[in-house]
Amino acid sequence: MIIPDIPTYKEILDKAFSRARKSGEKLRTLRIPRNVKYRRIEETKIQTACDVMISTLKRILDKTPIIDELPEFYQDYIDVTVGIDELKKSLGAINRAIKIISQLKREYTKRIKFSSPKEAYKLRREIYGRISSVIKEIKDDLDFLDFAKNRLKNMPTIDFDAVTVVIAGYPNVGKSTLLRKLTGANPEVAEYPFTTKGIQIGYRKIGWGKLQVVDTPGLLDRPVDKMNEIELQALVALENLADLMIFIFDPSETCGYPLEKQFALYKNLRKVFNVPIISVFNKIDLVENLKYLKKYINKVENPILVSATEGKGLKKLIAKLEELYERLERKIWKT
Ligand SMILES: Nc1nc2c(ncn2[C@@H]2O[C@H](COP(=O)(O)OP(=O)(O)OP(=O)(O)O)[C@@H](O)[C@H]2O)c(=O)[nH]1
Ligand SMILES: [Mg+2]
């Protein structure tokens, strides 16, 4: 998506010199004095070779977005997948190569103007050597950009204007089931460097707008102080994105985590995400002793009892989402 196709340094050289040869050939039949003609041929070759290199490199820069102007979420994404500094360094090297080749083109075009055919030939050979070296010197940068292009190809498409709710909770509590219930059968699954399973995104129409629902398996399911650097970065990225959070508890504990532990995670995330939370107590169909839940229900924000598989409580959940959505929309309009 974000970076265009990147040629190898060899491809750039081949293209530049073969085009140059062809444009030189075209002048062979010109009916002008031989001295002038030979000089013109070499001059044309120089200009074509330089122009092809410059336009090939410029195209890379033009088609690559300005990193600093990307939404923060994408910047974080790029940083984790390929490294922002490396990417900027490579783009900078391409930019410098364009400048050097342009400068050489100007210099040699001037020098060749008053040269003899023999000198013209020599000058053309000379600049071919120099621009070849310039291109060879950016070999690693081109390779890196090609690598980055492939790594960033599957960047999730995220709608930054949509109100976004992030689903969090321990594994197996029913996050994906709920995402499907809220947004339809097939959420988009995009590769995501922060999680092994990818990020799942679904949309739900609300009034004239839409709610973006994001599930991030294997990411928001551990205490913040246990996260490694990449996970922390992911957390920051998500925090940028989230307007709302649905935190799912599994009070049946069939997910394998005791409620107390789930509550600790909830408290942890509430500290990091400064957004309204809807606390879903899922799998309520499996819970016999509701008294046990009371203690937690009383301590969390917007508690709702749900059975995602049986559809129980979903209406209430959706009503809550719509209510918070309206409030957020109004806030967004005001700013
Ligand atoms: N009985 C019952 N089972 C449910 C309910 N919601 C989800 N499950 C089941 O719980 C299991 C886990 O559900 P998922 O939706 O995959 O859970 P998840 O949180 O996305 O899991 P990870 O992606 O592994 O973190 C599945 O077998 C679901 O069918 C529910 O309300 N009641
Ligand atoms: Mg899941």
Side-chain angles (χ1 to χ4, degrees), residues 100 125 136 145 147 169 191-193 198 217-218 245 312 327 332:
I100 296 171
R125 301 276 303 179
K136 275 182 204 150
L145 287 172
F147 154 82
E191 233 176 74
Y192 195 58
M245 175 181 279
K312 245 192 247 164
R327 255 194 262 165
I332 290 166

Side-chain angles (χ1 to χ4, degrees), residues 185-217:
N186 291 312
E188 180 191 335
V189 180
E191 233 176 74
Y192 195 58
F194 310 127
T195 79
T196 47
K197 293 190 203 158
I199 187 173
Q200 298 192 56
I201 306 172
Y203 296 95
R204 181 184 181 85
K205 262 193 75 170
I206 294 188
W208 292 103
K210 66 176 179 184
L211 180 69
Q212 181 167 243
V213 187
V214 180
D215 177 17
T216 55

